Amino acid sequence: MAKTEPALSREDELNRMRKRVRRIEDVWFLCCGFSLIGTFMYLFLVYKKGIFPGNPVRYILIGVCLLVVFFCIYMLPIVLKKNRRYAEYSEKYKKTYVKPFLDEAFGVGSYQEKDSISLKEIASFSLLKKIRSARANDGIRGVYEGVPFIRYYLALGFEKGQGTTDCLMIALEMNTGLKTEVQVVHDDLRLGGKEYEMPDGYAQILTGNKEFDRTFALYAEDKEEGERFLSEMSVKRIKRRGKSFPAAIYLDRNKIYILIRREKDTMEAPVYRPIREEKCIREAGQEVEMIRTWINALKECFAYVEKNT
C-alpha cells in the first residue's frame, strides 16, 4: 500500500514556493555575476595585456562575452520563469495572509498587488508636485466607518540624481469642511533625499505645544482655517499617530492624503527570510489596524472642530 505524504501546512507550502523562488534568484544572480566578471577580465587582458594583438578572434570573443552578459541579464529571467514564479508565490502569500484580514476588517475591501495610480492624480497632491514618476503596489480599497479609502505602497521618482522615495499612502474621501489646503509635515520627512519646503503662498502655524511644534510643521493656504483645524484634539491625535514614522497629511475640502515614509513594505512576500505564520499574521493585522486608527483619529479631529466652532 502506497504511503501518502501528510498535507503541508500553509506555512510549509509557502516556504516551499519561497525556496523555489530563492533558488531562481540565486542562479540568476550568480550567472550575471560570473558573466560580468568574466567579460571585464577578458577586456582587461585584451586592452591592458595585449593578448590576441591584431587578431580578429579578439573581436569575436568580445562579441560573445557581450552576448552572454545580455542573455544572463535580460533573457535568463524569462528562461527561468523568474517573474512568473515570484508572481505565483506572492499571490498565494497575499491570499493567505492579507485577504482574510481585509475581509474581516472592511467587509467590502479588495486587494490588488499591482495597482494603478496616475501621475496627474499624484501631482495634484501639493506635497508631491515635483515627482517625475510613481509606481503603485499593494493597493487596498475599502470602506471603514463610512469613509472610502485606498492604501498604496508607492515608489516615487523625483529629479535625476535624487533617486526614488518609498512610502505608504492612504487616500481618504472625507468631508473635512475646509475650503483651502492644510498640510501637516513631520520634521524628519525627506522626499527625493531633500527636506520638505513650505509651498509659496502658505503660512506656517505654531500650536504653542512645544513637542508638537518641534516634531511637525503645519502649513495652510488660509491661516484662520489652519488654526481652526489645529485644535487640541488634532494636536493630540496627530502627535500620537505620527511618531512611529516620518509622515505628512494633506487635507482639502473632500479628500485627505496620508503619506508615511517607509523603507519596507510589510505586505511584501519575503524571499530571503523564512516565512513565520505568526509574524505574517501580525504584520497584516498591523497594516489593517494602521488604516483604521488613522481614519478614527481624523474623524475625531473633525468632529471636535465642528462641535467647537
Side-chain angles (χ1 to χ4, degrees), residues 131-143:
I131 69 164
R132 296 291 179 267
S133 64
R135 188 175 69 252
N137 296 318
D138 293 327
I140 297 174
R141 299 171 188 265
V143 178

Side-chain angles (χ1 to χ4, degrees), residues 176-182 205 218-231 251-253 302 305 309:
T176 64
L178 296 171
K179 296 178 182 178
T180 57
E181 293 180 7
V182 174
I205 299 167
L218 185 140
Y219 306 123
E221 278 188 302
D222 184 276
K223 189 174 180 180
E224 288 185 7
E225 281 220 305
E227 289 173 342
R228 186 167 66 88
F229 166 74
L230 208 60
S231 63
L251 310 102
D252 68 9
R253 184 172 300 175
F302 286 107
V305 170
T309 53

Side-chain angles (χ1 to χ4, degrees), residues 77-90:
I78 299 173
V79 174
L80 295 174
K81 301 178 182 178
K82 178 173 174 285
N83 294 337
R84 178 182 158 190
R85 292 294 186 190
Y86 178 78
E88 290 172 353
Y89 161 60
S90 182

Side-chain angles (χ1 to χ4, degrees), residues 22-237:
R22 171 73 184 269
R23 284 195 295 269
I24 292 173
E25 289 276 352
D26 289 344
V27 168
W28 178 69
F29 181 79
L30 287 171
C31 289
C32 289
F34 283 130
S35 66
L36 287 168
I37 291 169
T39 299
F40 282 122
M41 287 181 65
Y42 176 71
L43 291 174
F44 174 79
L45 291 173
V46 167
Y47 291 102
K48 293 294 184 181
K49 301 299 182 181
I51 66 171
F52 301 132
N55 192 323
V57 173
R58 69 190 293 184
Y59 301 109
I60 294 172
L61 289 176
I62 289 172
V64 170
C65 287
L66 293 175
L67 282 173
V68 169
V69 169
F70 176 84
F71 174 81
C72 288
I73 294 175
Y74 297 105
M75 302 304 295
L76 190 58
I78 299 173
V79 174
L80 295 174
K81 301 178 182 178
K82 178 173 174 285
N83 294 337
R84 178 182 158 190
R85 292 294 186 190
Y86 178 78
E88 290 172 353
Y89 161 60
S90 182
E91 183 181 4
K92 179 75 173 176
Y93 176 87
K94 302 298 171 58
K95 282 183 178 179
T96 303
Y97 294 120
V98 177
K99 192 69 167 66
F101 282 92
L102 299 184
D103 292 340
E104 182 182 348
F106 307 122
V108 294
S110 66
Y111 169 78
Q112 188 71 33
E113 183 173 4
K114 297 294 181 185
D115 217 321
S116 60
I117 186 167
S118 71
L119 196 59
K120 183 178 179 181
E121 181 182 349
I122 288 287
S124 67
F125 173 28
S126 60
L127 280 166
L128 299 174
K129 283 193 178 296
K130 295 182 180 180
I131 69 164
R132 296 291 179 267
S133 64
R135 188 175 69 252
N137 296 318
D138 293 327
I140 297 174
R141 299 171 188 265
V143 178
Y144 179 68
E145 295 291 329
V147 178
F149 72 87
I150 179 168
R151 173 262 193 216
Y152 289 117
Y153 192 79
L154 294 175
L156 302 174
F158 291 82
E159 295 177 2
K160 191 174 181 180
Q162 293 183 4
T164 59
T165 296
D166 293 332
C167 58
L168 187 70
M169 189 178 81
I170 305 171
L172 313 175
E173 293 181 25
M174 183 187 295
N175 183 8
T176 64
L178 296 171
K179 296 178 182 178
T180 57
E181 293 180 7
V182 174
Q183 300 177 1
V184 184
V185 183
H186 195 287
D187 186 57
D188 290 336
L189 185 72
R190 300 289 184 275
L191 297 173
K194 293 184 177 182
E195 292 184 9
Y196 182 71
E197 298 177 359
M198 181 175 68
D200 293 337
Y202 281 57
Q204 183 170 359
I205 299 167
L206 298 176
T207 67
N209 183 309
K210 290 183 179 179
E211 185 181 354
F212 185 91
D213 291 336
R214 188 168 54 248
T215 309
F216 295 92
L218 185 140
Y219 306 123
E221 278 188 302
D222 184 276
K223 189 174 180 180
E224 288 185 7
E225 281 220 305
E227 289 173 342
R228 186 167 66 88
F229 166 74
L230 208 60
S231 63
E232 182 182 348
M233 176 69 75
S234 299
V235 168
K236 184 179 178 181
R237 290 288 182 264

